[in-house]
Amino acid sequence: MDYKGLKVNHKGRAIEALNYTLEDYQKLYLSKVSSTVGRVNATLETVSYPSLEELVIAEQKALENYPDLYNMNDKDIERIREDFPELTDEQLAENIELIEEYYEKNLQYDIFLEILSISAGTESSLVSRVNYYGGAACGEEFWFLYSRPTAATAVMKAKEQSEKFEYDIYGGNFGQTKSDAFRHAAWNALIAKYYADSKKDILKGLTLAQEFTSIHELCNEKDGIPIMIKRWIFIIIFLVGSIFEVWLKSKRKRGNFGLPKSGWNVQMIM
């Protein structure tokens, strides 16, 4: 078949994957989930969503069927050649962005099918399932990550690592304290780092961290802080996160936290 001028072997993949928009997926999700839990008047704001852990599992399972365009090995290259048999290696390189778009559309579709296989839960489980970090409870976080395949993995990895750092330094998680501020700074910095690593693009990492954590704060109404103040808080946290990475790099040289002394390539992200 033809995908925006490229001949592609689409055999075994759904045609719908290339045509669905995010709005289409949202409508389909609402229809499927609301009928499952018996809620006739459900909306995207009231239905439950998979947890971050479940989204990562769905993401990782779907990724097994696609090449990694940013860390390609021989198997990845061969798979791309099979999918685009009429293109030379030079043409593949010239059209890599369009090829990535093709794969991401199919990947989104496969992730969606994996998500539908996960029980959406009941209304009473909404907060516990959709709570992606530190109190937020809205589906906007889910849809943001869903529409960016591999982003959930970066956020999850950053969440786990920032919590480990907090525990190592402060002995646990203590809300509204220095430990909480430190964890959020680390979380922001590490989201940027891990996503940038996966995409080989620091700007993509910075953008994802800014956009996702802004959505997170918009979702989290528990503290009652006005939106503009929250945005300034994000800016402060992000700058602190930049300093945090430089500090972490110096600590790693002395072997702190039990981290390996190579393999991170930490860079300042201001």
Side-chain angles (χ1 to χ4, degrees):
M1 68 166 293
D2 181 276
Y3 181 72
K4 296 186 177 181
L6 299 183
K7 296 297 182 182
V8 57
N9 178 13
H10 195 68
K11 185 178 180 180
R13 298 189 178 118
I15 293 296
E16 304 95 300
L18 304 181
N19 301 317
Y20 279 180
T21 65
L22 181 59
E23 185 178 351
D24 292 327
Y25 283 117
Q26 289 174 330
K27 289 178 179 178
L28 186 56
Y29 183 84
L30 181 59
S31 174
K32 295 284 187 181
V33 175
S34 59
S35 63
T36 299
V37 299
R39 300 189 61 201
V40 178
N41 297 318
T43 67
L44 288 173
E45 288 72 36
T46 60
V47 295
S48 58
Y49 295 92
S51 66
L52 177 59
E53 291 81 359
E54 290 168 329
L55 179 55
V56 169
I57 290 172
E59 187 174 272
Q60 290 301 312
K61 188 172 181 179
L63 280 168
E64 293 175 0
N65 300 314
Y66 295 91
D68 185 341
L69 300 183
Y70 294 92
N71 299 281
M72 285 189 285
N73 55 32
D74 291 342
K75 184 178 179 180
D76 293 322
I77 294 172
E78 188 58 34
R79 181 175 286 177
I80 296 170
R81 286 171 176 163
E82 290 175 357
D83 288 338
F84 298 88
E86 295 187 12
L87 298 183
T88 65
D89 286 355
E90 182 178 332
Q91 290 171 325
L92 289 174
E94 291 173 352
N95 291 280
I96 196 65
E97 291 185 359
L98 189 55
I99 290 171
E100 179 183 19
E101 179 183 293
Y102 167 79
Y103 282 130
E104 286 202 345
K105 282 184 172 293
N106 285 281
L107 184 57
Q108 274 190 317
Y109 183 85
D110 290 353
I111 292 174
F112 187 76
L113 294 182
E114 290 293 335
I115 288 169
L116 289 184
S117 71
I118 300 171
S119 173
T122 62
E123 185 174 5
S124 62
S125 69
L126 172 61
V127 174
S128 63
R129 292 177 65 81
V130 88
N131 187 336
Y132 277 21
Y133 200 57
C138 71
E140 281 144 0
E141 289 175 293
F142 167 81
W143 289 113
F144 177 85
L145 294 180
Y146 166 74
S147 63
R148 294 160 177 79
T150 74
T153 298
V155 171
M156 181 70 179
K157 187 177 179 182
K159 174 182 181 292
E160 293 174 340
Q161 193 64 62
S162 61
E163 288 172 347
K164 181 182 183 299
F165 288 153
E166 182 186 28
Y167 183 84
D168 289 344
I169 296 172
Y170 295 99
N173 172 233
F174 309 100
Q176 305 300 316
T177 65
K178 287 191 296 183
S179 72
D180 193 44
F182 176 88
R183 174 170 50 82
H184 275 81
W187 184 50
N188 277 270
L190 291 172
I191 289 175
K193 176 192 161 37
Y194 292 141
Y195 194 68
D197 283 351
S198 71
K199 296 295 185 181
K200 303 301 184 200
D201 188 325
I202 188 62
L203 182 58
K204 287 183 178 179
L206 292 169
T207 301
L208 182 85
Q210 189 274 328
E211 291 179 347
F212 178 72
T213 52
S214 292
I215 289 172
H216 169 79
E217 293 302 335
L218 288 170
C219 288
N220 191 352
E221 299 296 336
K222 289 185 177 180
D223 52 22
I225 300 176
I227 297 303
M228 286 307 297
I229 295 178
K230 286 185 177 181
R231 289 178 180 170
W232 278 108
I233 289 175
F234 168 79
I235 293 172
I236 293 170
I237 286 177
F238 201 75
L239 292 175
V240 172
S242 301
I243 297 170
F244 162 80
E245 279 217 293
V246 176
W247 173 84
L248 180 59
K249 183 177 181 180
S250 68
K251 286 289 186 180
R252 285 182 58 254
K253 290 180 179 178
R254 296 193 290 272
N256 284 30
F257 306 121
L259 293 173
K261 295 183 179 180
S262 63
W264 256 43
N265 298 319
V266 179
Q267 299 177 7
M268 189 170 182
I269 60 171
M270 291 181 67

